[in-house]
Structures are given as C-alpha cells and as structure tokens.
Amino acid sequence: MLNAERQPRFNVQPNLVNPNADESAQRLMSYLCDMYGTRILTGQQIGVVSTPELEILHEVTGKYPAVYGFDFMNYSPSRTERGAECFDTDIAIDWWQSGGIVTFCWHWNAPKDLIDLPPDRTWGSGFYTKATTFDVQKAMADEDSEDYKLLIRDIDAISIQLQRLQDAGVPVLWRPLHEASGGWFWWGAKGADPCIRLWKLMYERMTNRHKLNHLIWVWNGQHADWYPGDEYVDIIGEDIYPPDRNYESQLDRFQTALSYTAMNKIIALSENGPIPDPDLMLRDQALWAWNCTWYGTFVYDTVDGRRVYAEKYTELDQLIKFYHHPYSVTKDELPDLQNYPLRD
C-alpha cells in the first residue's frame, strides 16, 4: 500500500506564491511535494512556557518528530510591553540546524484594548475575542487610524523575528491568523472580510516591504468563505481535536480542505489532539502532509513532581505505532533539506 501510485490530487507542483521565494523555501517545498501522498511528517508543538514535549516523546518512542511547532505569541508588542519574554526564534534556529523542519503560528495578542480581568480575560489571553474589545473590522476600514497603524506595528515586530530566521537560513511553514472562522480569536471576530484583508495586508507587507522570502504560507481559516485566494496560499492546514483516543483518519475534514480551491494544494493536519492512525489514513487516502500534536497535557502529565507521558488523548502503544510506522517520517529520516534538490 505504501508503494501504490499517488492519486492525481496528491501531485502538487512546488510553485510558491511568492515569486521571489528563496532557495531554502524552494528546497523545503520541493521535499514536501515529493513526499505528499506517500508519507506523513510527524510533528509536535512547543509549550509556551516550558518545553518538555520533545524529550518526553524521545524517551517513550526513541524518536524525535520531523516538524517542530513554535509560536510568536510572546513576541506580540502588547505582551512584551508587559514583560513577556520569548525564545522560540532561537530554539527554532537550533532545530533547523540540527536537521528538523520549523513551523510557526502566532497567537497574536490584540494590539490594544485588552480587558485584563481575571480569571480568563487577562492580558495573557489577549488573543481571544473574550479578552479584548479591539475591533479588527474598524481597524481595517481606516488606514489612517491608530488601530490600523498598531496592526502594522505588530506585523513589523514579528517580521523582525522572521528576518532572524531568514538570516539563519531557516525556511518557515508560516501559519498566521489560524482558526479564524471559529470567531474565538479577535482576528476572526468580525467575519471573513476584515480577516481576509488582514491576511493580504500581512502577506504584502512581509513579502514586499520586509522581503521575507523564506516563508511558505500555510492558511488555516477552516472555512471556504475565509479563503483569501490561491495567490496568497501555499498550503492548507486543518486543526482537528476529536474525542480522546479517537484515531480516525479525519477523512471528512481532509475532503473539506480539498474543496477550498480547485488547485492541487498540500493539505496538512496543522494541529491535532489524538493522532490519527496511519493505517486508517492510508485506507481512506486522507494523506495529511504532516501533523502537529498540541502541547501540554496532550503529551505529558506531572506525577509526583515528574513529567511523564500522558495517555489521555493518544495511548502510548498508539503513539509508538505512529512514530515507528513505515508511513511516518521522524526527524532521523529527513534528508539534508539545506541541499535538497530543487524540482523543475
């Protein structure tokens, strides 16, 4: 089954939406296109405060994931001005240099108007709609307004971190404005139109103003009405949190993601709770390009002061199966991506 000929929908050309994409991004995209429909890259999200997930996974499976997920959250200006610190950029550079693949999301703390009321509307939750009165529709409607200029300020702040990654030769699977259609994040709270315009603003500013040519743009809006257009999207991601120990392939969501565009785009499981069973993915041809298990209790519990693997979402035997399955790619199986051949 692993050697079966790929279906046409998995034949994706490595043509990035940024015509000036650098070689690092082109080489990574070439690899992703070569692998898509034949293997899944194992992935894990980093913890925001502590980062024991990878070592725990290695302890119980003997393997590290191929893809490591990071978050620019604590680089948001409305967090740094309140004392937040972040080292994800540094860790990501080390991860790439050690042979792994980097993906970044951004829990973008609202630029202003944080409600800051405990217990769940504090400034630390300022990316949630419930924790801010910042109005993205109002901001996007007036380019001369303070709110619009603050959006620009924040995009520029994250661009500094992305520039550091570009300078270090690190291509990034870049997944901003995620889960917008759910409405629980402020960038999706006012409907599709202002969010799509914000996506395009971010793309244009990062690509044309900041010349960030190492980005592979992963759109994760989760609804066709929120799709900004093929010319702004390299890869489509779906975030899926099924019930505990549900290892189904998530075929319905895979097919939904395919329906967002008439073009062949790579489809990734950009966040997950339980990990789908690779045999079921193969059976259903729900062949996600990579997965990225969320952090914290999705991976570990603290027992008697010691962090141990948590089986609440994915049982240990199932995790080991996934990391050792011939369909799965772990970090040790990745090629030299810095010199991966470019596809025509």
Side-chain angles (χ1 to χ4, degrees):
M1 198 167 192
L2 285 172
N3 296 319
E5 186 175 346
R6 280 195 295 196
Q7 295 182 9
R9 67 182 177 184
F10 297 110
N11 291 324
V12 178
Q13 297 303 309
N15 302 320
L16 294 168
V17 293
N18 177 2
N20 297 312
D22 68 16
E23 277 200 8
S24 73
Q26 292 179 50
R27 292 182 192 282
L28 177 55
M29 189 64 175
S30 292
Y31 173 69
L32 294 174
C33 290
D34 286 346
M35 297 301 293
Y36 186 48
T38 67
R39 309 279 303 273
I40 183 173
L41 304 178
T42 55
Q44 178 60 53
Q45 182 73 22
I46 196 172
V48 174
V49 178
S50 58
T51 57
E53 289 84 4
L54 259 64
E55 293 311 319
I56 289 170
L57 289 174
H58 186 261
E59 178 183 332
V60 298
T61 70
K63 301 275 192 175
Y64 287 109
V67 179
Y68 201 177
F70 301 89
D71 195 335
F72 285 127
M73 179 171 72
N74 278 340
Y75 293 111
S76 301
S78 68
R79 297 176 79 92
T80 59
E81 67 191 15
R82 289 169 168 83
E85 295 184 323
C86 194
F87 303 100
D88 283 35
T89 302
D90 305 274
I91 301 170
I93 291 170
D94 289 344
W95 179 253
W96 170 254
Q97 291 176 344
S98 73
I101 295 172
V102 169
T103 183
F104 263 93
C105 67
W106 179 19
H107 282 88
W108 185 351
N109 236 54
K112 56 177 276 198
D113 300 329
L114 302 175
I115 294 173
D116 209 8
L117 289 175
D120 61 352
R121 302 169 78 190
T122 63
W123 67 264
S125 299
F127 43 87
Y128 283 124
T129 301
K130 66 184 179 182
T132 180
T133 59
F134 186 81
D135 188 327
V136 65
Q137 184 174 31
K138 179 182 175 184
M140 292 303 299
D142 184 0
E143 295 184 11
D144 293 323
S145 68
E146 177 195 9
D147 291 3
Y148 183 87
K149 291 174 182 176
L150 286 172
L151 292 174
I152 295 292
R153 177 203 66 178
D154 286 12
I155 291 170
D156 289 351
I158 300 307
S159 295
I160 290 171
Q161 300 304 320
L162 288 168
Q163 182 67 56
R164 291 181 59 206
L165 290 158
Q166 181 166 260
D167 291 345
V170 183
V172 176
L173 299 169
W174 172 225
R175 187 175 66 99
L177 305 184
H178 64 292
E179 300 176 10
S181 64
W184 44 79
F185 297 133
W186 62 262
W187 51 86
K190 298 295 181 177
D193 180 68
C195 185
I196 289 173
R197 284 189 283 133
L198 181 58
W199 177 278
K200 293 178 179 179
L201 170 67
M202 185 183 296
Y203 174 84
E204 297 292 348
R205 192 160 184 89
M206 288 185 168
T207 303
N208 299 324
R209 176 64 179 268
H210 293 290
K211 310 298 183 185
L212 297 172
N213 297 322
H214 65 312
L215 304 180
I216 297 175
W217 288 78
V218 182
W219 177 79
N220 182 211
Q222 314 237 111
H223 193 286
D225 292 347
W226 298 64
Y227 191 63
D230 290 329
E231 67 272 31
Y232 293 97
V233 174
D234 291 309
I235 292 173
I236 294 169
E238 289 286 294
D239 294 357
I240 307 176
Y241 289 88
D244 303 353
R245 301 184 176 185
N246 178 321
Y247 308 129
E248 295 175 9
S249 70
Q250 306 303 325
L251 174 61
D252 288 349
R253 290 288 294 276
F254 188 86
Q255 291 176 329
T256 296
L258 288 172
S259 74
Y260 298 148
T261 172
M263 289 186 65
N264 275 8
K265 298 274 188 182
I266 288 176
I267 310 296
L269 183 57
S270 42
E271 287 184 25
N272 63 275
I275 302 172
D277 188 294
D279 289 324
L280 298 181
M281 287 188 272
L282 286 162
R283 180 198 69 187
D284 297 340
Q285 288 291 286
L287 302 178
W288 306 94
W290 72 83
N291 85 294
C292 196
T293 305
W294 206 240
Y295 65 87
T297 55
F298 289 99
V299 180
Y300 70 91
D301 286 325
T302 302
V303 178
D304 296 328
R306 194 170 76 89
R307 289 164 170 163
V308 298
Y309 180 72
E311 297 193 73
K312 179 176 179 356
Y313 298 95
T314 300
E315 295 158 286
L316 180 58
D317 288 348
Q318 188 69 23
L319 177 77
I320 292 171
K321 174 183 178 179
F322 179 63
Y323 269 78
H324 288 267
H325 197 279
Y327 176 57
S328 303
V329 178
T330 48
K331 185 186 180 190
D332 58 294
E333 297 178 277
L334 289 173
D336 176 6
L337 293 170
Q338 297 183 43
N339 296 292
Y340 193 81
L342 296 169
R343 278 177 53 178
D344 295 332

